[in-house]
Amino acid sequence: MPTWKEVPLDTKLSDIQWEKENIQPVVKKDPKIIVETFVSSSDVSILYKTKKVEREDGSFVYSCTCPGAWRAKDKRCKHIKELEKRV
């Protein structure tokens, strides 16, 4: 977005001279997402979804829908640890 410049009230769009800056275009790549589903060990009807998402800087973010993900001090449940080993 260009920087804001104050202009007189009677300025028309045709009066404005646009200057291009030397800006390199940034190509955003789609984040790489890996999703795995785990079956609960206590109840076979419960499924947990574990995700691995790659950030733009190359690091990864993990998440899981199981209660162990928010109970653990490091927020890494056994499903996240298993996903880290596999991938």
Side-chain angles (χ1 to χ4, degrees), residues 22-82:
N22 238 353
I23 300 174
Q24 295 292 327
V26 176
V27 178
K28 289 188 175 182
K29 61 180 181 176
D30 292 332
K32 184 177 178 185
I33 301 173
I34 297 173
V35 179
E36 286 200 16
T37 305
F38 292 90
V39 178
S40 172
S41 56
S42 61
D43 187 355
V44 190
S45 66
I46 299 174
L47 299 175
Y48 300 123
K49 188 184 287 187
T50 308
K51 280 187 188 178
K52 176 183 178 182
V53 180
E54 183 179 5
R55 292 182 177 169
E56 288 183 16
D57 64 355
S59 62
F60 296 100
V61 177
Y62 293 89
S63 65
C64 185
T65 58
C66 78
W70 54 268
R71 283 189 200 145
K73 290 181 182 178
D74 61 354
K75 305 297 181 201
R76 292 173 57 229
C77 64
K78 64 182 181 181
H79 309 113
I80 291 175
K81 291 175 183 176
E82 180 67 30

